[in-house]
Amino acid sequence: MEGLLFNVNNGYVEGIVRGYRNSLLTGSAYNNLTQCETIDDLKLQLGPAYGDFLASLPPNPSTSSLAAKTTEKLISEFRYVRANAVGSLAAFMDYVTYGYMIDNVALLITGTLHERDTRELLERCHPLGWFETMPVLCVATNIEELYNSVLIETPLAPYFKGSLSHQDLDELNIEIVRNTLYKNYLEDFYNFVNTHPDMAGTPTSEEMSEILEFEADRRAINITLNSFGTDLTKADRSKLYPSFGKLYPEGTLMLSRADDPEGVRLAVDGVHDFKTFFDAISVGGGPSGPGNMGGGSSDGKTLEDMFYQKEMEISKGAFTRQFTYAIVYGWVKLREQEIRNITWIAECIAQNQKDRIGNYISVF
Amino acid sequence: MSGAADREAVFPTRQSLGLMKAKLKGAETGHNLLKRKSEALTKRFREITKRIDEAKRKMGRVMQIAAFSLAEVTYAVGGDIGYQVQESAKSARFRIRTKQDNVSGVLLPAFESYLTEGNNDFGLTGLGKGGQQVQRCRETYARAVEALVELASLQTAFVILDEVIKVVNRRVNAIEHVIIPRTENTIKYINSELDELDPAADAEMKAKREAQAAQGAKSQSEDTGPSDILAAADEEDVIF
């Protein structure tokens, strides 16, 4: 049924995004990249995919400028798609950008709290998370003003409402604010894709539910693992878990009680994917245990890597369905991973650490 | 430093001869002591040079690992966390205290690093993702800074010692090649001048001195013993 009218409004955008997906780097392209001796070689190899954007870089550019330029390409493509989107797809794409907005707002709140000139922070904001009223955030000089008159005008206002007061912004760690917002955002997004008349019961809601559930579980696990050894209390921690996902509610309850990585392992035991992740790292993790991801185990994959891998597979899977908005989300995520991969390979080449260059994640 | 030109402007008298001899002795003692100090400092200096070499190599390795761990953070977090870390850091976690080492009278500052306990300003950074990498990166950089502090301490010692060794060596050389020869020349000069003096005058002076000495001894012997006032009858009358 959804196929009947989908192409009337969204056919063009879907075609464009599928075209973009085909220009993603493939496994053999990555293989070529890892053979490069210098950043210039890398730039040359990236020519077919990123030629226009990398052309203005000086010879032997820094890895950060390389990352900035590759991000620029994603931004311009995203803006093009967004400009051509109408109706519920436009709203869906706005939802995609809210995640970046949260990061930008968190950055600006930090700046306001420390009474910095927030104008110079605007440059550091992620362009995908740009919204029209964002420069207005810089007008506010104290946190109460920011909360009462500025934040309320942003698209993020519903996420603040009810869970954060302006005193909270002042007192709570900015990371907690950020994660609270993100939790609200994920729940809202989940609700949006499952209740909106254009999406409920379509492949969009099926695919997006899978992606968002995974994202929610990943955040819950990460927050738990990262909070060990910090002054985040268990009660505060449990407030940061999104209230959906495969782990919810039993798994998150057990996560909120976990004291060590072993407790996390027990909590996620019920979900097959996560169980295999934890089994894999407890075999290869060595004495430092699964908590120390990205640690000394250079050969074995870390938990973070496996999460990324899984996310990429889900995003890739979204393209197997037709008539769905999820491909836009999947494409953005795949492109982000590609940028991270390129940056990683560039770093490895620049720092002469070739032994770990194969740590990138390629799904095509 | 040859001949009569290089000597001190003194009058060739026995008194200045004595002075010069004392000076020569002093110079030789000083030379010995300074030489020993210079050797002790040079020994320490070589040791420090060796350790600087090691520390620099270590720094190269550690900094490389640290830079790479930052790359890991960038990969895991997927963005720039620099600003956030800067803003959430409130007080220094890694601190330095200085103490002083005494090497042969030279005070060398030594820096000692230590971590303040319970100071975890950005412990929550990357809570959503990449937190472990952030913490690991911080530890790696703490180790890198430790290596830098050690190197800084060695470098400071190196510079100070270098200066002091130069000064001491200059002094040793000055004493060895200027002061001692000159004093010796002066002594030689005084001796030769004294020898050249008129032997007659010399004898006269000697006689005079002997006479004086004899007289002094005589008067002294007269003075000794209780003087009997009554017995001294042949005293001149006192005329008022």
Side-chain angles (χ1 to χ4, degrees):
Chain A
M1 185 50 203
E2 68 272 1
L4 197 60
L5 296 169
F6 186 87
N7 281 345
V8 174
N9 288 325
N10 309 313
Y12 177 68
V13 168
E14 190 187 358
I16 290 285
V17 172
R18 281 182 190 275
Y20 285 154
R21 171 222 175 276
N22 280 344
S23 70
L24 289 172
L25 296 177
T26 59
S28 61
Y30 279 122
N31 249 335
N32 289 341
L33 291 184
T34 56
Q35 303 299 315
C36 293
E37 291 294 324
T38 63
I39 302 284
D40 270 340
D41 287 352
L42 189 79
K43 205 174 120 187
L44 202 68
Q45 288 289 337
L46 287 172
Y50 287 95
D52 301 346
F53 289 88
L54 297 182
S56 61
L57 283 177
N60 271 323
S62 69
T63 50
S64 53
S65 59
L66 199 67
K69 286 289 172 192
T70 46
T71 314
E72 214 170 271
K73 189 185 178 211
L74 169 65
I75 307 299
S76 80
E77 288 176 355
F78 187 86
R79 288 201 177 133
Y80 179 74
V81 174
R82 174 66 186 83
N84 282 292
V86 288
S88 52
L89 178 59
F92 177 87
M93 288 188 73
D94 286 342
Y95 264 96
V96 174
T97 62
Y98 289 170
Y100 304 93
M101 276 184 205
I102 290 175
D103 283 343
N104 289 352
V105 167
L107 188 67
L108 291 175
I109 291 176
T110 319
T112 315
L113 275 179
H114 293 91
E115 288 164 6
R116 296 297 156 97
D117 183 12
T118 33
R119 248 160 285 269
E120 61 191 48
L121 288 180
L122 287 179
E123 290 165 24
R124 295 167 173 270
C125 288
H126 197 290
L128 268 190
W130 188 272
F131 50 94
E132 261 177 40
T133 52
M134 201 165 83
V136 183
L137 281 173
C138 303
V139 176
T141 46
N142 62 52
I143 207 76
E144 195 174 343
E145 203 180 320
L146 183 79
Y147 185 82
N148 284 331
S149 55
V150 184
L151 283 178
I152 216 78
E153 298 296 327
T154 67
L156 301 179
Y159 307 144
F160 280 97
K161 205 175 135 195
S163 52
L164 291 165
S165 69
H166 68 82
Q167 281 97 348
D168 286 346
L169 290 191
D170 218 349
E171 288 158 9
L172 289 176
N173 191 303
I174 188 65
E175 276 299 314
I176 297 176
V177 172
R178 182 205 301 267
N179 283 293
T180 312
L181 290 178
Y182 213 92
K183 164 195 183 272
N184 291 343
Y185 157 67
L186 281 178
E187 285 169 4
D188 188 37
F189 200 177
Y190 189 73
N191 189 37
F192 173 73
V193 295
N194 280 307
T195 56
H196 194 278
D198 281 356
M199 281 176 264
T202 65
T204 305
S205 70
E206 288 165 27
E207 287 295 329
M208 282 313 293
S209 295
E210 189 187 354
I211 294 176
L212 291 174
E213 276 169 8
F214 171 73
E215 184 67 28
D217 291 341
R218 172 162 91 161
R219 287 195 84 82
I221 294 173
N222 269 341
I223 288 171
T224 316
L225 281 176
N226 290 339
S227 68
F228 296 144
T230 63
D231 45 8
L232 186 66
T233 62
K234 283 182 185 175
D236 285 341
R237 198 168 76 196
S238 63
K239 283 186 202 150
L240 301 177
Y241 300 143
S243 60
F244 65 97
K246 287 178 187 158
L247 289 176
Y248 183 78
E250 296 88 355
T252 39
L253 187 71
M254 283 172 79
L255 277 181
S256 68
R257 291 180 183 159
D259 286 315
D260 48 15
E262 187 59 25
V264 178
R265 206 182 64 75
L266 284 175
V268 302
D269 239 9
V271 181
H272 178 257
D273 283 337
F274 301 137
K275 187 176 178 333
T276 42
F277 289 171
F278 273 85
D279 287 347
I281 46 170
S282 55
V283 170
S288 50
N292 188 11
M293 40 194 183
S297 55
S298 53
D299 48 329
K301 291 216 164 199
T302 63
L303 188 63
E304 205 96 0
D305 285 342
M306 282 189 270
F307 278 142
Y308 274 132
Q309 178 83 38
K310 177 76 182 159
E311 187 188 14
M312 287 310 104
E313 273 160 17
I314 298 175
S315 302
K316 187 188 173 191
F319 281 90
T320 60
R321 304 288 292 267
Q322 238 183 331
F323 311 126
T324 163
Y325 300 155
I327 55 164
V328 180
Y329 189 91
W331 161 68
V332 172
K333 291 293 161 196
L334 286 167
R335 278 301 293 275
E336 281 205 314
Q337 181 63 38
E338 182 176 299
I339 291 165
R340 269 200 300 272
N341 286 343
I342 292 171
T343 318
W344 175 256
I345 292 172
E347 284 281 358
C348 287
I349 292 170
Q351 300 192 16
N352 231 343
Q353 299 258 354
K354 286 289 189 71
D355 46 336
R356 294 198 44 197
I357 203 167
N359 234 1
Y360 60 86
I361 294 161
S362 156
V363 283
F364 290 112
Chain B
M1 314 179 206
S2 60
D6 190 64
R7 60 174 168 79
E8 283 170 49
V10 289
F11 288 111
T13 59
R14 292 202 179 269
Q15 193 188 10
S16 47
L17 181 68
L19 273 178
M20 280 304 131
K21 280 191 172 156
K23 189 173 175 184
L24 181 66
K25 198 163 183 229
E28 270 163 2
T29 321
H31 176 253
N32 271 343
L33 286 175
L34 278 175
K35 188 121 193 164
R36 237 181 285 162
K37 178 176 175 179
S38 157
E39 272 158 13
L41 290 179
T42 314
K43 180 167 170 281
R44 182 62 180 249
F45 187 68
R46 294 223 174 95
E47 199 180 296
I48 283 176
T49 319
K50 202 174 135 210
R51 274 167 60 196
I52 285 181
D53 179 54
E54 278 165 16
K56 281 202 170 164
R57 280 169 209 278
K58 185 180 161 203
M59 183 195 72
R61 279 196 309 277
V62 170
M63 288 307 276
Q64 197 179 18
I65 296 170
F68 198 67
S69 76
L70 188 62
E72 269 175 18
V73 169
T74 323
Y75 181 77
V77 179
D80 190 15
I81 56 158
Y83 188 78
Q84 217 188 320
V85 170
Q86 274 169 38
E87 289 302 329
S88 51
K90 291 186 191 74
S91 61
R93 178 179 142 92
F94 190 92
R95 294 174 194 224
I96 289 179
R97 53 168 94 84
T98 52
K99 54 178 191 180
Q100 286 190 315
D101 274 354
N102 193 337
V103 182
S104 323
V106 186
L107 292 177
L108 295 177
F111 304 117
E112 192 185 320
S113 54
Y114 64 101
L115 290 174
T116 46
E117 290 301 318
N119 183 349
N120 201 353
D121 276 342
F122 50 94
L124 291 174
T125 304
L127 188 61
K129 52 182 174 181
Q132 255 93 11
Q133 277 85 347
V134 173
Q135 298 307 320
R136 239 175 61 80
C137 181
R138 181 175 71 179
E139 278 159 27
T140 326
Y141 266 95
R143 274 202 295 278
V145 176
E146 220 168 87
L148 285 183
V149 168
E150 197 192 328
L151 187 61
S153 155
L154 290 173
Q155 293 266 39
T156 318
F158 181 86
V159 172
I160 293 174
L161 270 185
D162 190 38
E163 198 66 22
V164 172
I165 285 176
K166 262 187 210 153
V167 169
V168 171
N169 279 346
R170 215 176 289 141
R171 281 186 192 151
V172 170
N173 287 341
I175 291 176
E176 191 176 336
H177 298 292
V178 180
I179 294 178
I180 291 179
R182 189 198 274 171
T183 317
E184 278 169 350
N185 278 349
T186 316
I187 290 170
K188 252 185 240 160
Y189 161 75
I190 294 173
N191 277 337
S192 65
E193 284 296 301
L194 284 178
D195 288 347
E196 270 173 34
L197 272 179
D198 190 6
D202 195 30
E204 196 185 317
M205 273 181 74
K206 209 173 174 182
K208 219 177 186 175
R209 218 166 29 239
E210 273 167 3
Q212 269 175 357
Q215 204 173 19
K218 198 180 164 196
S219 63
Q220 216 174 15
S221 64
E222 274 175 4
D223 283 344
T224 52
S227 55
D228 193 350
I229 300 171
L230 294 177
D234 55 344
E235 206 175 327
E236 275 185 317
D237 290 329
V238 181
I239 299 160
F240 295 100

